[in-house]
Amino acid sequence: MNTEEKKDRWKPEWIPPDAGDAFTTEVMGGIRSGHDGMPNQEKTETPFNSRSIRRQLSVDEYVQGVLSENRVILSRAITLIESNLPAHMELAQEILKKLLPHTGKSIRVGITGVPGAGKSTFIENLGCQLCDKGHKVAVLAVDPSSTVTKGSILGDKTRMEQLSRNPRAYIRPSPSSGTLGGVTRKSRETILLCEAAGYDVLLIETVGVGQSEVTVRSMVDFFLLLMITGAGDELQGMKKGVIELADAIVINKADGDNKQKALMAKVDYDRILHFLRPATEGWVTKGHTCSASTGEGVDDVWRMVEKFHQITTESGIFERRRRTQMLSWVQSMVQEYLQALFINHPEVINKKPQIEQNVIDGKISATMAVKKLIDIFEGEKR
């Protein structure tokens, strides 16, 4: 196909007669043809050099790069963790195996709250203060994935502009990939990589609120629930599933005319928490107020986290919780593996559509359909 034929191929199917320049489609050859992509420019004689493929690093290169706090290699290692390709998963596990002795030396803080509570602003303010104190802060911000396109905006680096420029901070937005609560095995392993890279404070921002936040509780040391005043009845359904899990409730946006309302809300939450069992043994969950936009009260929140760490470490609860979380991690991974094994079973894939259609048509019950699929998976016949 010559150049003119290529241009005709990309023209609209219909052009008004005598349209002139008012209805023009111009096809440029692009960089490979020597064109620089700008309109009304002639081709250049500069040859096109295709971008060289990035060299695959070895396990040892990944390990040394992470331990030497190389942010580029850390990002590449996390990308391996997030990949579903079998080869990448195997390489990632080899990297993790060698990095495990260098993990566990951080404070993991989970932060959740209703939409609009100011989680990103709070994390940025807290992160900047911690960096100024000499800490290294990693923010793992899980963005909700679209149930239609499976894509994510991943805009936390934009929202945390000041923190993202701090050399002592590392922000890693990750798609939730449709997982309830936005926390998966990949998030847990990303935590280990960040710890091995020397980050001593990990802030995990989670998606939404509700019973799914039980997963967050199983992977962090301190669980912080961010609230706002005047949100109304939409909070009621959330309270039952999250307040019992929180180590602290922080009412944000306590500034200006809203400050008095925030203080009143703090009293209300303290009254509720008095009748609930604490989320952590030996620790009393209380309400606090702060303003992420002005910074007032944010430092007090961190002092509370440090006090929590000191008390639970001295009592042995901190280490006991870490061990329990590791066992919970194993159990959840076994469940994920068995689920994937079932879904990808050839016979299940083959017969599942017909069984599902029988359920829709009312020929069999849902319970019977499940039994049939399990029998197929186990290789049994009725």
Side-chain angles (χ1 to χ4, degrees):
M1 184 182 295
N2 58 40
T3 304
E4 293 302 321
E5 289 176 339
K6 287 182 179 179
K7 288 184 178 180
D8 291 338
R9 179 183 178 186
W10 294 107
K11 285 183 178 179
E13 294 181 359
W14 177 81
I15 299 177
D18 304 323
D21 294 337
F23 201 100
T24 301
T25 298
E26 184 175 355
V27 180
M28 292 181 289
I31 296 175
R32 288 185 180 275
S33 67
H35 201 288
D36 62 4
M38 298 299 293
N40 302 320
Q41 297 292 323
E42 298 295 331
K43 292 184 179 181
T44 64
E45 299 301 326
T46 305
F48 174 77
N49 294 321
S50 61
R51 186 178 64 181
S52 60
I53 299 175
R54 187 164 57 177
R55 182 177 68 86
Q56 178 63 57
L57 302 178
S58 67
V59 172
D60 289 337
E61 287 175 319
Y62 272 112
V63 171
Q64 293 303 317
V66 171
L67 293 178
S68 63
E69 304 177 10
N70 186 313
R71 295 158 66 96
V72 174
I73 294 182
L74 172 61
S75 297
R76 291 182 63 177
I78 294 176
T79 300
L80 288 178
I81 292 291
E82 294 176 343
S83 174
N84 291 321
L85 292 177
H88 288 175
M89 294 176 68
E90 184 177 350
L91 180 59
Q93 293 308 309
E94 287 295 319
I95 295 169
L96 277 173
K97 182 179 179 181
K98 292 193 174 186
L99 289 175
L100 273 177
H102 305 277
T103 63
K105 301 175 183 178
S106 73
I107 299 179
R108 306 167 184 172
V109 180
I111 301 174
T112 191
V114 295
K119 294 189 292 294
S120 296
T121 305
F122 175 81
I123 291 173
E124 179 174 45
N125 195 306
L126 176 60
C128 288
Q129 289 192 28
L130 291 173
C131 289
D132 292 340
K133 293 179 179 179
H135 291 283
K136 290 192 63 181
V137 180
V139 178
L140 307 181
V142 185
D143 269 15
S145 295
S146 167
T147 57
V148 178
T149 64
K150 309 302 180 185
S152 297
I153 297 176
L154 304 179
D156 289 274
K157 282 194 174 182
T158 302
R159 292 195 294 267
M160 304 179 195
E161 183 178 357
Q162 184 178 354
L163 184 61
S164 64
R165 294 198 301 263
N166 196 307
R168 300 189 65 83
Y170 177 77
I171 301 177
R172 178 71 182 201
S174 301
S176 66
S177 302
T179 302
L180 190 63
V183 182
T184 64
R185 167 188 61 82
K186 300 171 184 179
S187 300
R188 297 175 187 263
E189 294 180 347
T190 300
I191 286 176
L192 298 179
L193 286 179
C194 290
E195 288 179 340
Y199 292 95
D200 60 334
V201 177
L202 271 65
L203 306 177
I204 298 95
E205 179 189 359
T206 64
V207 179
V209 291
Q211 292 292 349
S212 62
E213 304 307 295
V214 173
T215 309
V216 183
R217 171 78 276 179
S218 70
M219 63 187 292
V220 298
D221 306 313
F222 188 94
F223 186 58
L224 189 152
L225 175 60
L226 208 62
M227 307 287 276
I228 50 176
T229 60
D233 292 338
E234 62 266 29
L235 295 180
Q236 300 303 319
M238 177 273 297
K239 288 178 182 177
K240 297 177 182 178
V242 181
I243 286 185
E244 295 91 338
L245 304 176
D247 292 308
I249 296 178
V250 178
I251 298 94
N252 190 22
K253 303 184 181 181
D255 48 50
D257 297 337
N258 202 46
K259 188 170 184 177
Q260 189 60 36
K261 293 180 181 179
L263 291 173
M264 293 174 62
K266 172 186 176 300
V267 173
D268 290 338
Y269 282 117
D270 282 337
R271 187 181 299 116
I272 296 172
L273 292 167
H274 178 73
F275 296 101
L276 298 178
R277 181 180 178 180
T280 302
E281 182 184 348
W283 176 259
V284 179
T285 303
K286 294 181 180 180
H288 304 265
T289 61
C290 79
S291 172
S293 58
T294 65
E296 182 180 356
V298 175
D299 191 51
D300 294 334
V301 173
W302 180 248
R303 280 197 291 267
M304 172 188 57
V305 175
E306 289 182 316
K307 183 179 178 181
F308 171 89
H309 182 252
Q310 179 186 353
I311 292 175
T312 55
T313 300
E314 292 174 352
S315 64
I317 294 172
F318 188 89
E319 185 60 32
R320 189 158 64 246
R321 170 172 280 173
R322 284 282 179 98
R323 291 197 298 265
T324 302
Q325 289 176 349
M326 292 299 290
L327 292 178
S328 175
W329 186 356
V330 172
Q331 294 169 1
S332 65
M333 288 179 65
V334 169
Q335 292 174 358
E336 289 179 12
Y337 175 79
L338 291 176
Q339 182 179 4
L341 204 63
F342 174 80
I343 293 175
N344 296 320
H345 191 279
E347 283 300 309
V348 171
I349 294 174
N350 184 38
K351 297 182 179 180
K352 185 167 169 279
Q354 183 57 51
I355 293 176
E356 290 177 340
Q357 189 60 47
N358 290 338
V359 174
I360 294 173
D361 295 339
K363 295 179 180 179
I364 60 174
S365 66
T367 302
M368 182 59 68
V370 172
K371 289 183 178 180
K372 286 180 176 292
L373 290 171
I374 296 298
D375 288 345
I376 293 170
F377 177 71
E378 294 180 343
E380 298 175 1
K381 294 182 179 180
R382 289 189 174 275

